[in-house]
Structures are given as structure tokens and as C-alpha cells.
């Protein structure tokens, strides 16, 4: 059997060292990387009674946003002193994924399962290429038409 699926997701990661455009270097600091993937997947399905085992591959657009908080810098005006500068960067790029999954039918049409996916995706944040993919474990709620 062959299946096609579309999905929208969300994941995030805390960043402890990042590129700081205000100082022009990698510095220790707290930041939050948020990613919204919009994906399409082709799934090869092997039905085994109430259980399905599948292999999958697909692609998607990954919308990434890195919020690096605020950085303090001297103002051009001596009267103003130091100012806080909000620092963030956003990018969207095409990425790919592949993996495997297993699901169990809880009714004749509704299934619950899990997928293990490896995602290859990068984003250009603060003029630096950042790896936003990796190994992902997804929960699956499916409905068969």
C-alpha cells in the first residue's frame, strides 16, 4: 500500500552559544530557535492485521526563527548612553526527511502510532548557516478514508 500525507508541525531548541551581529562574533548567550515545518510525505505501508509498519520519505519548507534576546551596545549619541538592541533572524528553506513508523488501528479507520524521522534542513540565520534538522520522534494520529 502507498500513502500520501501532509503535515504542519512545531519544534524549538534553546541555544547557548550563538552569532551576535551586534558584536560580530560567536558569544555565550541564551536564545530560542523555533521551527515550523510544512511537509509532504510519501509512505510505503505494510499492513499486518491491526498493525501497520511503514517506510517514509518526503520534503517540506522549514520556517526558522532565532530570537537572541537583546544585546547592549553604546549609542552613537553620548547623552543616550547604552541602548538595548533586539536581535532576531528569520529564514525559510527546503528540507528533506526519511524514516520509518509503526501504527495500530484503534477503530477500523482511526490509527495511533509513532514515526522516527531523520530531517536534513538548514537555515541562514544572522548570515550563518544553521542546522535545524536532526533525528525526530513524532506521534501519529491517522484517519484512513
Amino acid at each position: 500500500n502507498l500513502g500520501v500525507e501532509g503535515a504542519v508541525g512545531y519544534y524549538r531548541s534553546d541555544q547557548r552559544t550563538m552569532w551576535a551581529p551586534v558584536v560580530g562574533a560567536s558569544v555565550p548567550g541564551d536564545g530560542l530557535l523555533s521551527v515550523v515545518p510544512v511537509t509532504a510525505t510519501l509512505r510505503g505501508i505494510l499492513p499486518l492485521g491491526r498493525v501497520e509498519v511503514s517506510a517514509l520519505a518526503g520534503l517540506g519548507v522549514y520556517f526558522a526563527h532565532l530570537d537572541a534576546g537583546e544585546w547592549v551596545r553604546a549609542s552613537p549619541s553620548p547623552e543616550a548612553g547604552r541602548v538595548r538592541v533586539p536581535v532576531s533572524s528569520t529564514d525559510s528553506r527546503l528540507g528533506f526527511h526519511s524514516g520509518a513508523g509503526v501504527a495500530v488501528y484503534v477503530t477500523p479507520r482511526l490509527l495511533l502510532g509513532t514515526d522516527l524521522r531523520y530531517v536534513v534542513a538548514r537555515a541562514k540565520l544572522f548570515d550563518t548557516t544553521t542546522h535545524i534538522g536532526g533525528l525526530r520522534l513524532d506521534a501519529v494520529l491517522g484517519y484512513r478514508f
Side-chain angles (χ1 to χ4, degrees):
N1 292 336
L2 190 63
V4 177
E5 67 184 39
V8 176
Y10 174 79
Y11 59 93
R12 68 183 216 176
S13 173
D14 292 328
Q15 304 294 301
R16 297 289 175 217
T17 303
M18 64 190 64
W19 178 257
V22 173
V23 296
S26 289
V27 296
D30 293 329
L32 181 65
L33 173 67
S34 304
V35 181
V36 176
V38 179
T39 60
T41 304
L42 191 59
R43 184 182 292 269
I45 302 166
L46 176 63
L48 303 169
R50 292 186 53 209
V51 176
E52 283 187 352
V53 178
S54 59
L56 54 99
L59 55 88
V61 177
Y62 291 78
F63 299 92
H65 177 79
L66 178 59
D67 183 1
E70 296 180 338
W71 297 92
V72 177
R73 72 173 176 187
S75 169
S77 166
E79 302 84 44
R82 296 166 63 90
V83 296
R84 291 199 172 275
V85 180
V87 179
S88 65
S89 182
T90 303
D91 189 24
S92 57
R93 296 286 171 111
L94 187 64
F96 304 93
H97 61 271
S98 63
V102 62
V104 176
Y105 279 94
V106 292
T107 72
R109 294 201 177 270
L110 184 68
L111 59 105
L112 297 174
T114 187
D115 288 345
L116 184 62
R117 298 174 186 225
Y118 184 73
V119 178
V120 178
R122 300 191 183 282
K124 191 157 189 142
L125 302 167
F126 297 123
D127 295 327
T128 302
T129 301
T130 303
H131 180 70
I132 60 171
L135 201 56
R136 242 179 48 198
L137 184 64
D138 296 340
V140 175
L141 173 63
Y143 183 82
R144 186 160 262 185
F145 294 97

